[in-house]
Amino acid sequence: MGKTMAEKILAKAAGAKEASPGDLLDVFPHVAMSHENAGLVAKSFKEIGTGKLYDPDRIVIIFDHRVPAESEKTAEGHKTVREFVKKHGIKNFFDINTGICHQVLPEQGFCRPGEVLVGTDSHTTTHGAFGVFSTGIGATEMAAVWATGKLWLMVPETIKVVVKGKFAPGVYSKDLILHIIGKLRADGADYKSIEFFGPAIDEMTIASRMVLTNLSMEAGAKSAMIPPDQKTIDYVKSVTDKPFEVIKPDPDAHYCQTLEIDLGQLTPQIACPHMVDNVKPLAEVAGTQIHQALLGSCTNGRLEDLEEGARQLRGRRVHPEVRMLVIPASWKVYRQALDKGLIAAYIDAGAVVLNPGCGPCLGAHQGLLAPGERCISSTNRNFQGRMGSTQAEVYLASPAAVVASAVAGKITLPEVN
Amino acid sequence: MKFCGTVFKYGNDVNTDVIFPGRYLKVWEPAEMAKYAMEDIDKEFAKKVKKGDIIVAGKYFGCGSSREQAATCLKAAGVSVVIAESFARIFYRNAINLGLPIMVCPEIGQIAEAGHQLEVEPTTGEVKNLTTGKTAKAKVLPPFILEILGDGGLIPHLQKKMKKAS
């Protein structure tokens, strides 16, 4: 019987001939990424007591969660990590001026097909868009990876998602994945991997594919992958000289579940408070008043998202009772958006353009909500208290819907003419 | 390794943002983390919880962020074991790695209510409600996970292994 991508990639990284769901393997990840929590990882690493990193070149550290430091405590944390990086010769360190880890990793060539990537961040599933088995782990486990080079992983079952048809105007990959999460529910892919197939996936840009794999975490996925095609290979070769081996699933691979979706039926979707699987057609909640609109994040802060949002502005200003925040996913994206005049368009519209980072998405800083306030956001979580007050509400939608709503002052369908 | 304590009961989909809110992620000291445990779902928890107490929950406990502080803060607050109908995978791993026992028990919601006294034996999966006399069976953790928990978490476990090897 054929094998899925997860089965093939994990077997290879464990040096095993083959692997099946339920097998426990000692896997050697090619990339081990941390952000600010590298401080916690370093603390645990010191406790282990080997004093020696298994391979410093596999370690990547990217500051993004609280940049620039919003408090003295964070500043101390940043300082500790910088000192650790220097002491141990970790060359893949990206300080506060690079961007959000899930955008920086591919930009810097760390997402190579056929490899295994672990990160101390749940949305590490993002990198499956490049055919990488990528999954989130905790800081203590990462310390063990730093020291021993390996971790145990259970080979997951895989859900096959096949997407056909074409997106209607005003409908995007964000709407597709919200729809899928609504169907699978928040725990529908817990302990499982997802593989995406179909002509609609083939046609998607790399950035749109990353939205699918990023948000697959919100269905509980351990990993979410898109079999690499020429588009993937061209992108990866443009950012790294390192060799890689594309691993695709066998045509007769076994899937525990198959989900078929026809884009022709799909309308703009929205995840309502306080769970990402509380998904409705956006039209059902249209007219709901908002106080903040957030465009950006590791989910939807890439150039095409900023372009799509700017198209919705059409020279109009953000509603006077709405605070609109724009957060490009990386400084590279920020620079490109500057060149294209997008940043000027947002500033002219009255939006606040913030530096790349995670900031308000996880309620760390830069635009939190007061009790009774409501935000429409292109980010990936709407849990109670996630963006400030536990009495506030967060709705998740596409960049186009976020900007259209910011202008209207209420939740609004993207304009399509 | 037998646990006995008072039940704190929660529903389905308790996420790591309500277990340990993002605004406290800069905190690294377990004792301080304990003060914020469950703050956004139960403001009384940190004040009331005593050493040995037990969290009972529904499906998909610990979903969301990979922050291991969600497990650290519960352990530091004195929680002896979390018993839920199911867990999100990253929380499950973090709990084991930090030495916080967790057990899957699909019937737990039916036999335990807040305030009840529960007795739990992880090596056999026996769960006994001392207040009502009702019992349930939790899934027994695989031996290698019990070993990590018995050592107090992944770090002491690795330290022990290295000592043996040298």
Side-chain angles (χ1 to χ4, degrees), chain A residues 253-268:
Chain A
H254 175 74
Y255 295 92
C256 64
Q257 186 184 347
T258 301
L259 203 59
E260 288 193 20
I261 290 159
D262 180 1
L263 290 179
Q265 311 295 317
L266 190 68
T267 59

